[in-house]
Structure formats: C-alpha cells, structure tokens
Amino acid sequence: SYYFNMGDEQSIEKALNYAQKAIDKYPKSEGGLNSLALIESINAKSCQVTMESIYPAAQKIVGQIEFKNISKIYARLYDVNKLNDELRIDHDSILKYGRQIRAFEIKLRIHNDHQQHTEEFETDSLKTGKYLLLSFVSDLPTSNCITLFFTSPGKKTRFMYERSPFK
C-alpha cells in the first residue's frame, strides 16, 4: 500500500510484487486478502466519456475520455430525434427509438502504468438534431456509457451533460 500511494510506475510495480508475495505466502490471512484487494484495485479498468451538450452542426464532434488500464473503446452514435424527453434514456429506449448512424472504435495510447489518463477523440460533424453516443469497453460487461448531446446551427455552449459513466 505504501508503494502504491507513491503513484509512480516503479512504485506501483513494487506494490504489485510485494502484494503477490503476501498472497503466495499467506493467502488466507488478512494481509493476503488485503493484498488481493490491492492488486484488483491497481489492475481495475475504468473509463469515463465526457462531451459538450451542444455542438455546432457543421463542426466535428469532440469528446474526452478518462481511462485506466484499457486500450480501446467501441462507440455507436444514434440519431434519437424520435426519443421523447419524458422517456428514460436507457439501452432499450435507444434501440427502440434511436437509429444507429455510425459505429467506430476509439484506440487509446497504451500506457501499461496503471494510472488514469485523458485523451480526446473526434468524429465527423452531424446535421442539426439530438444524438446519443453509446460507448463501451468490450471486456467490461457493465461498461455502457450513455452520453446525450445536440447539434444546432448556433454556437457551442459550455454546458456538459453526462449519464452512466463507466464503473
């Protein structure tokens, strides 16, 4: 835990090594179980997608991804102009009322350092309307992240709307 809290790559590797030694030597002890929890925490995958709520219709759509221990995100872009504002935004509503218009992969730089990183991504511009980006990591079964945004003929605003970040 001491080395993990230092935060640099070498210290984290030391923490992993010491934790694995504790598990190997004392697997059922409190220290062994704490070491297992530490290893799981260090190796945990996480991802959060953040986007503006409104984009100008003629400009590329740019978003930001915060991630740890992943190298690729899959994304599907849906036209949800038929999605009523009173409806709950969930996977079933998206499939029922939305129309998938684009699917793509977002490849992230591989760091292998067990640290949180941030990168931007972009996709082509869209017509004026209401859209939803469904993003997920293939090997995380509960990784769906739903982000609703709009395009308009006006200028970009700074208001953010985000739902269901990866856990």
Side-chain angles (χ1 to χ4, degrees):
S1 178
Y2 168 78
Y3 289 107
F4 173 66
N5 290 330
M6 292 178 74
D8 63 86
E9 189 176 346
Q10 288 178 330
S11 297
I12 291 173
E13 289 302 320
K14 262 189 193 176
L16 284 169
N17 288 333
Y18 283 128
Q20 189 58 56
K21 286 178 184 177
I23 292 168
D24 293 344
K25 204 166 191 177
Y26 309 103
K28 297 190 189 277
S29 71
E30 184 177 351
L33 295 174
N34 287 342
S35 294
L36 180 62
L38 178 63
I39 289 173
E40 288 174 355
S41 170
I42 291 171
N43 291 325
K45 296 179 180 189
S46 67
C47 187
Q48 182 171 340
V49 176
T50 305
M51 298 177 69
E52 300 286 346
S53 65
I54 301 175
Y55 292 89
Q59 292 184 5
K60 288 188 178 265
I61 308 298
V62 178
Q64 180 177 306
I65 303 169
E66 275 187 54
F67 63 96
K68 177 182 148 191
N69 296 330
I70 62 171
S71 60
K72 187 187 311 182
I73 295 176
Y74 299 92
R76 293 187 188 133
L77 192 56
Y78 290 86
D79 177 328
V80 291
N81 285 301
K82 293 181 182 176
L83 189 64
N84 188 328
D85 288 337
E86 289 86 44
L87 286 174
R88 184 166 175 243
I89 299 174
D90 60 20
H91 194 263
D92 293 336
S93 297
I94 296 165
L95 296 178
K96 185 174 182 180
Y97 298 102
R99 181 176 57 86
Q100 182 176 320
I101 57 173
R102 196 174 296 159
F104 55 99
E105 292 179 7
I106 303 168
K107 292 183 180 163
L108 305 166
R109 278 183 267 136
I110 299 172
H111 296 278
N112 293 326
D113 61 1
H114 307 287
Q115 299 288 319
Q116 194 79 17
H117 298 279
T118 303
E119 288 186 23
E120 286 191 346
F121 70 94
E122 67 178 40
T123 187
D124 294 335
S125 62
L126 299 164
K127 299 183 299 187
T128 299
K130 184 170 28 173
Y131 298 93
L132 191 137
L133 182 73
L134 177 64
S135 49
F136 54 96
V137 179
S138 66
D139 57 349
L140 286 177
T142 59
S143 68
N144 284 351
C145 183
I146 299 170
T147 309
L148 180 68
F149 66 94
F150 303 86
T151 55
S152 74
K155 294 186 176 184
K156 180 166 67 171
T157 66
R158 297 302 300 168
F159 176 76
M160 301 291 248
Y161 179 89
E162 186 178 301
R163 267 185 93 124
S164 306
F166 294 105
K167 296 280 188 222

